[in-house]
Amino acid sequence: RLNTWESLTTGIAQQAKGVIAPKEKTPFITFVLGGPGSGKGTQCIKIVETFGFAHLSAGDLLRREIASKSADGAMILNTIKEGKIVPSQVTVKLIQKEMELSDNHKFLIDGFPRTEENRVSFEQILSEWQSQIGVEPNVVLFFDCPEEEMVKRVLNRNEGRVDDNLETIKKRLTVFQALSLPVINYYSEKGKLYTIKAIGTEDEIFEQVRPIFAAFEVCSQTVG
Ligand SMILES: Nc1ncnc2c1ncn2[C@@H]1O[C@H](COP(=O)(O)OP(=O)(O)OP(=O)(O)O)[C@@H](O)[C@H]1O
Ligand SMILES: Nc1ccn([C@H]2C[C@H](O)[C@@H](COP(=O)(O)O)O2)c(=O)n1
Ligand SMILES: [Mg+2]
């Protein structure tokens, strides 16, 4: 069987030749953004359980590269320790590979795009299939959380992450303000942004998230 990207590209090539339509469903892409510790990963788990998305965390994919001691592993580790952003071609390649391997067509891309460079790199990949899916995500979630709360959560996370310390967290917050907020503003201007007030219990926060995806489910059932 063909995977999502293969079937899209094959489908487009075959359509161009006037042969057949693509076999698989059009991808539905959600970007999940927010500062460090804003609760992106926590809410992604609930979205997966409720709406059946595939969860691709950019940070988890990068940590997997470190653990596998790949060629980029040492560079990724140093970048993460410094609270900086890994070059886009590395991260985009990992995300694209996961999308190719997935049987799902609904993707939650968590912690990406973190910079304008990330955003443009991913768009370049999507633009190869522009006639099918466009270059824009369907939904962009922004978990808006006060800094004080994010710092408290990260310092209590206790998952052994190399970046969960006060020094790195301060750098990550600076990077978030300088490089990630412009991406959030970009999607706000495009009318794609759904801002979630990320304070309260996990369940209370999910009750803000649920109607966003529920509305898309209703739409897809109505449209067919
Ligand atoms: N609503 C909440 N109230 C209190 N703690 C929370 C809440 N949501 C998540 N947490 C906790 O805060 C910590 C950070 O959450 P999570 O890992 O989901 O954040 P994140 O946005 O993915 O962060 P990062 O960008 O660093 O990966 C975790 O320990 C999680 O259990
Ligand atoms: N698009 C991304 C996502 C993550 N990283 C690096 C830098 C982050 O501080 C770190 C941890 O990510 P998280 O688990 O907090 O989403 O991974 C990156 O460079 N680019
Ligand atoms: Mg996370």
Side-chain angles (χ1 to χ4, degrees):
R1 97 180 249 297
L2 293 173
N3 66 41
T4 305
W5 296 108
E6 278 171 346
S7 69
L8 281 169
T9 48
T10 308
I12 289 165
Q14 287 171 328
Q15 265 187 328
K17 287 187 228 148
V19 187
I20 58 159
K23 293 187 181 69
E24 307 247 352
K25 289 184 176 174
T26 304
F28 185 99
I29 294 175
T30 298
F31 289 150
V32 183
L33 305 180
S38 59
K40 300 180 294 297
T42 304
Q43 294 297 321
C44 281
I45 293 169
K46 291 178 177 290
I47 298 166
V48 167
E49 284 168 0
T50 313
F51 295 104
F53 278 71
H55 177 204
L56 312 185
S57 156
D60 286 351
L61 293 174
L62 292 167
R63 282 183 285 273
R64 198 171 75 188
E65 284 297 289
I66 298 170
S68 73
K69 302 197 188 316
S70 77
D72 290 325
M75 176 277 290
I76 296 171
L77 175 61
N78 287 331
T79 309
I80 287 181
K81 274 188 187 162
E82 281 300 309
K84 293 184 179 156
I85 302 297
V86 172
S88 296
Q89 74 268 19
V90 173
T91 315
V92 167
K93 199 170 69 189
L94 295 173
I95 294 171
Q96 188 187 354
K97 196 165 145 209
E98 288 301 301
M99 292 176 85
E100 285 172 0
L101 290 172
S102 178
D103 281 336
N104 210 326
H105 74 288
K106 300 198 289 187
F107 298 102
L108 276 182
I109 307 185
D110 168 4
F112 182 95
R114 286 277 230 283
T115 62
E116 283 289 292
E117 192 212 21
N118 269 186
R119 179 180 70 73
V120 171
S121 294
F122 194 76
E123 278 184 4
Q124 276 163 0
I125 301 285
L126 290 189
S127 69
E128 292 172 32
W129 298 281
Q130 189 170 7
S131 62
Q132 286 292 306
I133 56 182
V135 297
E136 296 285 334
N138 301 82
V139 168
V140 180
L141 296 182
F142 168 40
F143 289 94
D144 188 11
C145 192
E147 281 198 4
E148 217 180 72
E149 176 69 14
M150 292 195 278
V151 172
K152 198 171 78 184
R153 288 182 192 175
V154 166
L155 294 180
N156 286 330
R157 181 154 46 188
N158 215 14
E159 287 178 4
R161 281 177 51 163
V162 293
D163 51 350
D164 281 355
N165 58 76
L166 194 55
E167 194 187 337
T168 310
I169 238 303
K170 282 183 185 162
K171 291 178 183 163
R172 296 179 70 203
L173 286 168
T174 305
V175 166
F176 175 71
Q177 293 283 338
L179 302 182
S180 305
L181 277 183
V183 179
I184 289 163
N185 291 334
Y186 173 88
Y187 286 122
S188 174
E189 280 164 23
K190 290 266 174 188
K192 298 272 175 182
L193 194 75
Y194 295 81
T195 300
I196 309 293
K197 288 196 185 72
I199 35 174
T201 66
E202 293 174 14
D203 286 342
E204 282 167 352
I205 295 166
F206 187 64
E207 288 315 313
Q208 297 175 62
V209 173
R210 186 196 298 275
I212 298 166
F213 292 104
F216 279 96
E217 297 243 307
V218 170
C219 280
S220 71
Q221 280 159 15
T222 316
V223 174

